[in-house]
Amino acid sequence: MSVLIKDMDLSIRPRERLLKYGVESLGSDELLAIILRCGTKSISVKDLSNDIINKIGINNLENATIEELTSIKGIKEAKAISILAAIELGKRVLKKDSSNIVINNNRIIYDLLKYDFINAYQEHFIALFLDTKNKLIAKETIFKGTISYSTIHPREIFKLAVKHSAYSIIVVHNHPSGNSTPSNADIELTKKLQDSGNMIGIPVLDHIIIGNNNYYSFYDNKKINTYN
C-alpha cells in the first residue's frame, strides 16, 4: 500500500507545515512531496522526493524529460506529468503578460523574458516583432542550441517578420554560462542581422544577451540602431 502524506507524523507533514508556517518555509523536497502526493509501498513520498532531487538536481528539474523522471524507481508516468505540469505552471505565473506591451527600453525586454531562461542549459534565440509604435506583435523562438554565425539565418527571421507584418525586430538570446558579455560570434551575427534588416526595410533595433541576473544590450553600448 502506498505511503500517503496523511499517514506521516503530523509534525512533518508538508501540507500542515505549509498552513502553519507558509509556503516559503518548506524545503524543495517538501514542495515536491505535495505535488507527488504519495510514495510507494517501499518508499515514502518524502524519500521519493529526495531521490528525485538527488538524482536530477533541483536546478535541472525544469529540463527533465518524462523518460528521465520515470527512470527513477517509484516515478510512473502520471507522477512525472504532474511534476512537469507544476514546473510549467510556475514559469507561466512568473512571466509577464506580453499582450499590449510597448517596448521602448531594453529593461522591459529583460523583465519579459528573464524567466524563459532560468536554468536553461542551451542557448535560445528569440525574435520579438514590433509594430510602428513599438508594440509587441509576436514572440518567436528561432533556434535552440549553440548559436553561431552560421546557425541563425536572417531569411527565417525576416520571413516571420513579414508574416507578422512587423515594422521592426528585437532579437534576444541567453548565455547559459551566466556571463552576458557578447562573443565574437554574437557581434558578427548582430552585424549580419542588422545589415539584412536595413536592406529589407525592417530594422533590428536591439540584440540583448541575457545572463544570470544581468544582460547586455547592443543598443545600450551604441553598437546598433536606436529605438524609435
Side-chain angles (χ1 to χ4, degrees):
M1 185 175 181
S2 295
V3 180
L4 300 174
I5 288 180
K6 69 179 184 179
D7 296 325
M8 299 169 64
D9 185 87
L10 188 62
S11 64
I12 62 171
R13 291 181 192 173
R15 292 177 186 173
E16 280 68 19
R17 280 178 32 76
L18 185 152
L19 291 171
K20 187 173 182 179
Y21 301 110
V23 67
E24 297 86 359
S25 68
L26 270 62
S28 298
D29 60 327
E30 294 173 301
L31 294 171
L32 192 51
I34 291 175
I35 294 169
L36 294 175
R37 198 179 68 81
C38 66
T40 70
K41 61 183 179 181
S42 61
I43 183 171
S44 73
V45 66
K46 199 165 183 184
D47 287 340
L48 184 56
S49 300
N50 278 315
D51 201 18
I52 294 170
I53 291 171
N54 290 336
K55 289 183 177 178
I56 295 181
I58 194 66
N59 291 330
N60 296 321
L61 200 53
E62 80 163 282
N63 297 312
T65 64
I66 294 286
E67 292 73 22
E68 288 172 325
L69 289 167
T70 54
S71 70
I72 297 172
K73 186 178 180 181
I75 299 296
K76 301 296 184 184
E77 189 176 79
K79 279 185 166 54
I81 289 171
S82 294
I83 292 169
L84 296 184
I87 291 170
E88 180 60 25
L89 179 61
K91 288 166 64 176
R92 294 186 186 187
V93 168
L94 287 173
K95 290 180 184 177
K96 291 184 178 293
D97 181 9
S98 61
S99 61
N100 298 315
I101 285 182
V102 175
I103 296 175
N104 50 26
N105 67 76
N106 52 50
R107 181 72 199 193
I108 293 173
I109 302 167
Y110 175 69
D111 288 339
L112 175 67
L113 297 180
K114 61 184 177 182
Y115 294 114
D116 289 56
F117 303 124
I118 292 177
N119 299 323
Y121 58 87
Q122 286 184 313
E123 288 182 279
H124 293 60
F125 191 92
I126 293 173
L128 305 178
F129 302 100
L130 312 179
D131 68 11
T132 56
K133 296 183 178 179
N134 282 358
K135 181 180 175 182
L136 181 63
I137 299 170
K139 179 185 80 169
E140 298 270 7
T141 299
I142 306 298
F143 182 82
K144 292 182 181 180
T146 301
I147 293 171
S148 67
Y149 178 90
S150 61
T151 56
I152 304 298
H153 300 290
R155 65 176 178 272
E156 299 300 325
I157 297 173
F158 291 103
K159 182 169 67 176
L160 288 170
V162 172
K163 173 186 173 183
H164 292 298
S165 300
Y167 178 78
S168 59
I169 300 171
I170 294 173
V171 294
V172 184
H173 85 276
N174 65 311
H175 280 178
S177 67
N179 183 351
S180 61
T181 303
S183 66
N184 289 334
D186 294 331
I187 294 169
E188 188 175 14
L189 175 60
T190 303
K191 186 177 185 307
K192 178 183 178 183
L193 292 174
Q194 188 175 15
D195 288 345
S196 297
N198 291 340
M199 184 181 301
I200 294 170
I202 305 176
V204 177
L205 300 185
D206 203 351
H207 181 183
I208 293 176
I209 302 171
I210 295 181
N212 289 340
N213 300 315
N214 61 82
Y215 65 92
Y216 178 94
S217 162
F218 279 77
Y219 164 75
D220 270 0
N221 287 275
K222 305 184 187 304
K223 296 182 182 295
I224 206 165
N225 291 342
T226 60
Y227 290 105
N228 293 334

